[in-house]
Amino acid sequence: MSKTSKRHAIRPPSPEEDALIRKAAQSDPGAQPLTARQMREMAPARSVLGRPKSENKKLLVSVRYSREV
Protein backbone atom coordinates (compact mmCIF):
# COMPACT_ATOMS: atom_id res chain seq x y z
CA MET A 1 0.00 0.00 0.00
CA SER A 2 1.37 3.38 -0.89
CA LYS A 3 2.14 5.95 1.76
CA THR A 4 0.07 8.61 0.05
CA SER A 5 -3.65 8.41 0.59
CA LYS A 6 -6.02 9.04 -2.28
CA ARG A 7 -8.90 9.72 0.08
CA HIS A 8 -10.43 13.14 0.16
CA ALA A 9 -9.72 15.19 3.25
CA ILE A 10 -12.70 15.64 5.54
CA ARG A 11 -13.51 19.28 5.95
CA PRO A 12 -15.94 20.69 8.48
CA PRO A 13 -18.98 22.53 7.14
CA SER A 14 -18.79 26.28 6.75
CA PRO A 15 -20.85 28.38 9.19
CA GLU A 16 -23.49 28.88 6.46
CA GLU A 17 -23.67 25.15 5.73
CA ASP A 18 -23.83 24.42 9.45
CA ALA A 19 -26.75 26.83 9.87
CA LEU A 20 -28.64 25.13 7.00
CA ILE A 21 -27.98 21.68 8.48
CA ARG A 22 -29.19 22.78 11.93
CA LYS A 23 -32.31 24.40 10.47
CA ALA A 24 -33.18 21.24 8.51
CA ALA A 25 -32.58 19.02 11.57
CA GLN A 26 -34.74 21.21 13.82
CA SER A 27 -37.61 21.17 11.32
CA ASP A 28 -37.75 17.34 11.51
CA PRO A 29 -40.27 16.38 14.25
CA GLY A 30 -38.53 13.04 14.78
CA ALA A 31 -35.11 14.59 15.39
CA GLN A 32 -35.75 17.09 18.17
CA PRO A 33 -32.99 17.83 20.69
CA LEU A 34 -33.05 15.96 23.98
CA THR A 35 -34.60 17.68 26.98
CA ALA A 36 -32.63 18.32 30.17
CA ARG A 37 -34.57 15.50 31.86
CA GLN A 38 -33.70 13.05 29.07
CA MET A 39 -30.02 14.01 29.33
CA ARG A 40 -30.04 13.41 33.12
CA GLU A 41 -31.67 9.97 32.68
CA MET A 42 -29.14 8.77 30.10
CA ALA A 43 -26.65 6.11 31.18
CA PRO A 44 -23.30 5.32 29.59
CA ALA A 45 -23.56 2.46 27.09
CA ARG A 46 -20.87 0.60 29.00
CA SER A 47 -23.18 0.29 32.01
CA VAL A 48 -26.14 -1.17 30.10
CA LEU A 49 -24.40 -3.39 27.55
CA GLY A 50 -23.06 -6.83 28.10
CA ARG A 51 -23.86 -9.63 30.43
CA PRO A 52 -25.71 -8.80 33.65
CA LYS A 53 -23.77 -9.10 36.89
CA SER A 54 -24.47 -12.33 38.76
CA GLU A 55 -25.89 -12.27 42.26
CA ASN A 56 -23.94 -15.47 43.06
CA LYS A 57 -20.39 -14.67 42.11
CA LYS A 58 -18.15 -17.63 41.46
CA LEU A 59 -14.98 -18.26 43.41
CA LEU A 60 -11.85 -19.33 41.56
CA VAL A 61 -10.44 -22.50 43.11
CA SER A 62 -7.25 -24.23 42.10
CA VAL A 63 -6.62 -27.89 42.96
CA ARG A 64 -3.41 -29.82 42.35
CA TYR A 65 -3.30 -33.61 42.35
CA SER A 66 -0.36 -35.94 42.38
CA ARG A 67 0.23 -37.99 39.21
CA GLU A 68 -0.87 -41.18 40.95
CA VAL A 69 -4.39 -39.88 41.43
Side-chain angles (χ1 to χ4, degrees), residues 1-2 4 15 18 20 24-25 27-28 35 37 42 44 52 54 56 60:
M1 181 175 219
S2 68
T4 58
D18 191 47
L20 288 171
S27 69
D28 182 1
T35 64
R37 180 179 173 201
M42 292 178 80
S54 173
N56 302 322
L60 177 62

Side-chain angles (χ1 to χ4, degrees), residues 2-34:
S2 68
K3 292 185 179 183
T4 58
S5 176
K6 296 191 187 227
R7 293 184 188 172
H8 296 286
I10 298 174
R11 66 170 183 81
S14 68
E16 295 81 19
E17 291 171 327
D18 191 47
L20 288 171
I21 293 168
R22 285 179 186 272
K23 185 177 178 183
Q26 289 172 346
S27 69
D28 182 1
Q32 295 303 308
L34 297 174

Side-chain angles (χ1 to χ4, degrees), residues 31-53:
Q32 295 303 308
L34 297 174
T35 64
R37 180 179 173 201
Q38 290 170 322
M39 292 293 282
R40 281 193 309 272
E41 292 175 352
M42 292 178 80
R46 177 178 302 135
S47 66
V48 293
L49 294 178
R51 210 167 139 176
K53 300 290 181 192

